[in-house]
Amino acid sequence: MSTSNPTPMVKQYRELKQQHPGTLLFFRLGDFYELFFDDAIIGARELQITLTARHKDSGDPIPMCGVPHHSAANYIAKLVRKGHRVAICEQTEDASKTKKLVRREVVRIVTPGTPIDPQLLEPRESAYLAAICASGDSAGLALLDISTGEFRATQASGQDAWIKIVADLESYAPRELLFPASLGPLVKNGFTSSPKTAPLPLTSVEGESNTDATTADPARGSGGGNEVVDGTTHTPLDDWLWQTDDCGALLLKQFGAQSLDGYELKGKAEAIRAAGAALRYAQETQRANAAHIADIVYFEPQDHLVLDKVTVRNLELTEALGAGGVARSLLDVIDETVTGMGARLLRSWLLRPSVRRGEVEARHAGVAELLSSQVKRDRLRTLLKEVADVERLAGRLNLGSATPRDLNALESSLDQVPPIRQTLAGAESSLLQVLAESADELEDVRALIATAIQDDPPPRLSDGGVIRAGYSAELDELRGISSNAKQTIAALEANERTRSGISTLRIRYNGVFGYFIEVSKANAIRVPAEYERRQTLANAERFTTPELKDWEVKVLGAEDRITKLEAELFANVSRQVGSETQRIQGTARAMASMDAIASLAETAARRRYVRPTMHDGDAIEIVQSRHPVIEVFNNEPFVPNNLYLNNSTDRLLIITGPNMGGKSTVLRQAAIICILAQMGSFVPAQQATLPLIDRVWTRVGASDDLARGRSTFMVEMVETAAILHGATARSLVLLDEIGRGTATFDGLSIAWAVAEYLHDSPEHCAKTLFATHYHELTELAERLAGAQNYQITATERDGEVVFLHRLERGRASKSYGIEVARLAGMPPPAVARARDVLQRLERYELDVFAEESDALAAAAIASQAGEDALEKAATRAGRRRAAAQGSLFDLANQRLLDELRAAEVDKLSPDEAKALLAELRKRIV
């Protein structure tokens, strides 16, 4: 068969496929979903199923593959996880009632950012759809979790607007990112530059919206392919879908409001555009109004402590680096939640800690109260264990995908609210009081579900037996007819025998005539007058009656009617329950917060955490601090340390010490304790007095970005540059081994300059922990008023290095790198040679950098006399550094050459000359 002359079915498929480009079309044929043409090739490859062909014996076969309808959800989930978008096409009319091609329509489009099926959702993680846009010097961002209805938006302005928005975007780790097609090059470039200052071409005529904006299908995208970057599917949408007026009107309609001012969106055009685009995309993909998206929260980029993806990775907040499947992240340690809702909220608190002291201390007070009462805490957690994911149940309910068991789970979850409120009655903390009051008992909703839905309903509505007996008289009658058909037949038959006096009368059934009364020829004259003849046989006559016909209609249509009536009744119950979505969501949020607070209290009890004292100053003082993850998973006892930082005398701590001594641990635990405190948690320490910080910056570890042509050192410099540009006096900066990825003196120079900049810059003088093996940097403590030297202590016993892991004031004298190499298994000859080379290098103390620093200091003084003097002094220093860029061995031997040149050979005796040569030879590296 040639596809140039397609069958009606193929033509139908092509029309639907044309309406939904960029998707894999799951085309319903009987009990299977089929994929054709290129979709089949992709589907067979991605799902690892057999690729076949339709009309394979023709000259133009059509590639095809398929999956069973009953197990399609798992296949769809697999495709979506790989970044594909799947359009689900169903038969929308009964095939038995038409002789033509069955009508089919796309009923839903499943995308990475719009998952509602359990197979696509992680119970303890949110699934965000993000939309980002920019115009002029403003940028907007919207974030929507369609599974729960959570909807947020923000906007930033100014030269750094794009940087702020991208930082917020990273903290949410969206599954799918929508953006105007004109921003495609910028997004593809990894947001490494800023958008053009000119506004995007969003209008077709000056002052007029594109006339197609209200009828467009954004689920089609811009016609371009989707790309998965760092786990996020990038989906460009045509620019005209981002019209401010159209997006604003869509939001107003969704919220049933007359103005967006009450949502803090007044004058926030970019936030409105992003939110409108995200909402439209969600509605079009789900083919539903998504009524559970009933509100939007506007937030400022500075409303929470900012943790970019680099910091989240370096601190191992949610995922351990190289853990090999073993749970070793901070979240694994502190997460004692018992509900999916609570787990997601706790995760969001960790990734976006609060910067509001009142909010932070309210959480601390709630944790303290539950920590002090184990009975109350255990009772609350026991009740919450019986609570299902109410947030997502409400989402499925409003998107038309809720099952009978979902309603049953909702009822049993809401049944826990009264005892939960009773448990928290008399709570002293204001937060627990508010949460208890916010948990609506929803008696009407619980009563409706209890009256209408069976206690243990089947998983699918089509299985029947969902509606409880007594809820619908018609349904009860139909069920009675269906289940008691034989008894009813027998009763009718007996009644007709008595009425007619024909003892041999029978009521029978066949597929042609249905139910009928059969009597013998001899008794035909005795049948009642109201009998209607249906058929004459050789030895019998067949009749019917109005009563039998009515009963036949009921019996034959009972099962079909039961199925349809149950669907109607279930849909009506779902609508009634769905009308109370906002009350349900409020209760769900309250229970999620209770779970998160109780989790933090449980963690504090198990891990011996203490309540931090928050203040409005700038000093960080932590007594006997511990790393929360290492102390749990390390077999050795953890050595606690004290730490003090402020913005004046102790703003730059230069930390030296041996490899494996624990410098990186000290850095990380300081940041983690600040983050834990601001998320509302108690902290692993004996005592902690902390300020509110606005951002944690980290530059630790080695990584590259080969996809963008960045070496390890380039990545290090990009991250360091971001810190120098973005840090503020309220920030905490962690720098670990800056400058180690390049030549020694280049790296040392960079490290020196970075430390000075963070100390001296009026705008960027952040509290900084600077771990380094460049012992030369300890001189900064003598030069800078706010710099202090600290060391991680170690000692040697019987030739073995012993790491003490203690942070003390002072500078380390050795790094013990060779000892670490020995412990790592380096061959003894190599270790011995390394020790020999080290001794020779240390003997000559090649302090070229000190000379350069003196030259630069002199240059700074000379600059008062003019720029020419500064330039000349800097040039001299540069020449000295350039000379030092050669081999360290050449530099060491240069001192020997100088001694040889200085020797007065004519005055040396032969023995003295021999002794000098022997000494110099012995010292050659």
Side-chain angles (χ1 to χ4, degrees), residues 262-554:
Y263 300 92
E264 299 183 56
L265 290 173
K266 183 178 181 180
K268 305 292 194 307
E270 299 307 303
I272 291 172
R273 289 172 54 210
L279 178 60
R280 181 183 285 112
Y281 188 79
Q283 290 177 341
E284 291 296 335
T285 55
Q286 302 307 306
R287 300 297 197 261
N289 290 329
H292 66 300
I293 307 174
D295 192 9
I296 188 168
V297 175
Y298 180 81
F299 68 99
E300 296 288 353
Q302 64 270 23
D303 279 353
H304 58 79
L305 191 163
V306 179
L307 301 169
D308 59 28
K309 64 180 180 181
V310 173
T311 298
V312 171
R313 179 196 67 210
N314 288 339
L315 297 180
E316 299 180 288
L317 297 184
T318 59
E319 185 176 352
L321 299 175
V326 179
R328 293 179 182 272
S329 73
L330 177 61
L331 185 60
D332 293 323
V333 171
I334 67 171
D335 187 358
E336 298 291 344
T337 56
V338 294
T339 71
M341 301 181 297
R344 293 194 298 272
L345 182 62
L346 187 73
R347 184 187 182 94
S348 72
W349 286 358
L350 175 61
L351 293 176
R352 290 173 291 280
S354 177
V355 293
R356 297 185 178 91
R357 181 177 169 185
E359 183 176 38
V360 171
E361 292 182 332
R363 292 177 188 172
H364 288 163
V367 172
E369 181 168 347
L370 294 181
L371 176 62
S372 66
S373 175
Q374 183 176 348
V375 173
K376 183 184 295 186
R377 184 174 75 249
D378 288 348
R379 173 62 175 163
L380 177 60
R381 284 165 51 80
T382 298
L383 292 169
L384 288 171
K385 285 180 182 178
E386 302 302 316
V387 175
D389 199 330
V390 178
E391 287 182 328
R392 285 180 171 168
L393 289 177
R396 291 201 291 274
L397 191 65
N398 282 273
L399 292 169
S401 63
T403 67
R405 289 185 177 178
D406 285 340
L407 281 183
N408 190 254
L410 178 60
E411 179 203 353
S412 61
S413 298
L414 296 178
D415 283 341
Q416 308 308 312
V417 176
I420 285 175
R421 296 187 63 175
Q422 185 178 7
T423 300
L424 294 179
E428 296 180 2
S429 83
S430 60
L431 178 57
L432 293 180
Q433 291 172 7
V434 169
L435 293 178
E437 293 171 0
S438 301
D440 191 331
E441 296 187 8
L442 290 153
E443 293 180 2
D444 50 341
V445 172
R446 290 157 49 208
L448 172 60
I449 299 175
T451 302
I453 307 298
Q454 293 280 15
D455 286 337
D456 186 19
R460 294 181 297 272
L461 180 61
S462 59
D463 292 335
V466 170
I467 302 300
R468 188 186 292 275
Y471 183 72
S472 167
E474 181 184 358
L475 181 61
D476 290 345
E477 181 183 0
L478 289 169
R479 284 174 172 168
I481 292 171
S482 178
S483 62
N484 299 312
K486 290 184 179 180
Q487 292 88 333
T488 303
I489 287 290
L492 280 174
E493 189 177 77
N495 182 63
E496 290 304 315
R497 284 180 180 180
T498 302
R499 191 162 69 92
S500 66
I502 304 172
S503 61
T504 58
L505 180 147
R506 295 283 186 272
I507 295 180
R508 301 183 183 277
Y509 173 85
N510 68 34
V512 176
F513 293 102
Y515 285 94
F516 52 84
I517 299 172
E518 185 176 280
V519 298
S520 64
K521 284 279 191 180
N523 290 313
I525 59 174
R526 300 171 59 188
V527 300
E530 63 269 21
Y531 276 27
E532 300 175 14
R533 182 174 274 101
R534 296 288 302 275
Q535 187 181 21
T536 299
L537 302 177
N539 299 316
E541 294 283 347
R542 291 176 174 175
F543 303 88
T544 188
T545 67
E547 182 183 8
L548 182 60
K549 285 193 291 186
D550 290 343
W551 184 85
E552 178 183 26
V553 170
K554 289 184 178 181

Side-chain angles (χ1 to χ4, degrees), residues 639-712:
V639 178
N641 282 297
N642 300 336
L643 183 69
Y644 181 77
L645 280 163
N646 61 29
N647 281 83
S648 54
T649 60
D650 294 72
R651 82 169 73 125
L652 172 64
L653 305 191
I654 305 296
I655 303 174
T656 52
N659 286 293
M660 293 181 62
K663 297 190 299 297
S664 296
T665 298
V666 168
L667 265 63
R668 287 179 169 90
Q669 75 190 43
I672 287 173
I673 286 174
C674 290
I675 291 169
L676 284 173
Q678 287 187 223
M679 73 173 286
S681 173
F682 284 18
V683 300
Q686 187 180 97
Q687 180 182 337
T689 303
L690 305 169
L692 293 168
I693 58 177
D694 63 359
R695 183 159 186 166
V696 174
W697 298 88
T698 63
R699 164 80 288 277
V700 298
S703 61
D704 55 32
D705 190 352
L706 299 180
R708 294 178 186 160
R710 294 176 178 174
S711 66
T712 299

